[in-house]
Amino acid sequence: MATGRELEELAREASTCVRCPLADHRTQVVFGSGDPAADLMFVGEAPGRDEDLQGEPFVGRSGRLLDRLLDEELGVDRTWCYIANVVKCRPPENRDPRTEEIDSCRSYLDAQLDLVNPLVVVTLGNFATRLLLGMTEGITRLRGRSYPIGDRHLVPTYHPAAALRSGGAVVAEMRADLVRAKRLLGWGR
Ligand code: URA
């Protein structure tokens, strides 16, 4: 499929990227994974240690929570989705990505959105949500509704790491956000 090939080419190009200083610290670029023609795309913040080592987004604790919520609320596994991050390389000590790093990496994410062309984008946490909505408010204010962006719907939710830290109430709100995404996808009521 053309989309898959173009994504692979872009991933190959990104694998040697030195646009920002995160290149000095990474084990490898974590470009993205999943169905290149998915209707549902997740955008996280940045690879962590597990992701940096394995080369895939959301394979650590946060990813396990995401997998569980996907299964329990949407009845699918990650092969139904495409998963990417705002920045493709792990920031040292898992610090927040910096504005210049996000800006350097932006064209990769934009290309992933264009090529996958999902109907629904679920942004996980502040960085992805603010970037794709062009807003500065925090996730607590921005979540709880969907936003039309061209032909797509953007559904902001908490980052799974925040849900792991905060527990029950935040997980319940993530579940509600995923149900919102499911309805927009027409995958159930
Ligand atoms: N957190 C993220 O934002 N992305 C990952 O891929 C893993 C943890």
Side-chain angles (χ1 to χ4, degrees):
M1 176 188 300
T3 302
R5 247 200 332 268
E6 285 174 75
L7 269 177
E8 276 170 31
E9 271 165 31
L10 195 63
R12 208 169 16 252
E13 181 190 319
S15 70
T16 56
C17 181
V18 288
R19 287 181 195 171
C20 85
L22 291 183
D24 299 338
H25 303 275
R26 69 179 180 228
T27 304
Q28 58 193 312
V29 171
V30 181
F31 183 71
S33 71
D35 178 358
D39 284 334
L40 173 59
M41 178 163 162
F42 287 92
V43 181
E45 180 180 316
R49 184 171 171 276
D50 295 311
E51 291 77 19
D52 175 68
L53 291 173
Q54 294 183 46
E56 255 203 62
F58 284 100
V59 290
R61 277 189 79 215
S62 289
R64 285 195 288 280
L65 177 60
L66 186 61
D67 285 340
R68 182 154 67 81
L69 296 181
L70 265 178
D71 176 38
E72 291 174 3
E73 300 305 332
L74 278 77
V76 300
D77 64 30
R78 63 167 60 207
T79 64
W80 286 60
C81 316
Y82 188 80
I83 308 181
N85 282 305
V86 167
V87 297
K88 314 300 189 210
C89 298
R90 182 192 183 199
E93 315 302 328
N94 294 345
R95 66 157 168 75
D96 288 348
R98 296 183 175 141
T99 306
E100 56 276 20
E101 295 158 357
I102 294 171
D103 291 347
S104 303
C105 223
R106 174 84 201 241
S107 67
Y108 292 127
L109 180 60
D110 286 342
Q112 287 171 307
L113 285 162
D114 281 350
L115 291 169
V116 177
N117 195 21
L119 178 60
V120 175
V121 178
V122 176
T123 50
L124 301 166
N126 277 321
F127 283 91
T129 303
R130 287 175 175 154
L131 184 71
L132 294 186
L133 281 181
M135 293 179 177
T136 53
E137 285 109 315
I139 188 64
T140 307
R141 287 183 72 91
L142 292 173
R143 66 153 296 281
R145 53 162 290 197
S146 63
Y147 299 78
I149 305 219
D151 294 338
R152 295 196 234 289
H153 304 279
L154 190 143
V155 178
T157 194
Y158 293 105
H159 193 285
L164 286 168
R165 273 194 308 273
S166 309
V170 169
V171 173
E173 290 185 326
M174 275 190 88
R175 288 184 187 278
D177 294 330
L178 290 177
V179 170
R180 186 168 293 108
K182 179 179 175 175
R183 289 203 189 104
L184 289 165
L185 286 158
W187 288 359
R189 289 182 306 122

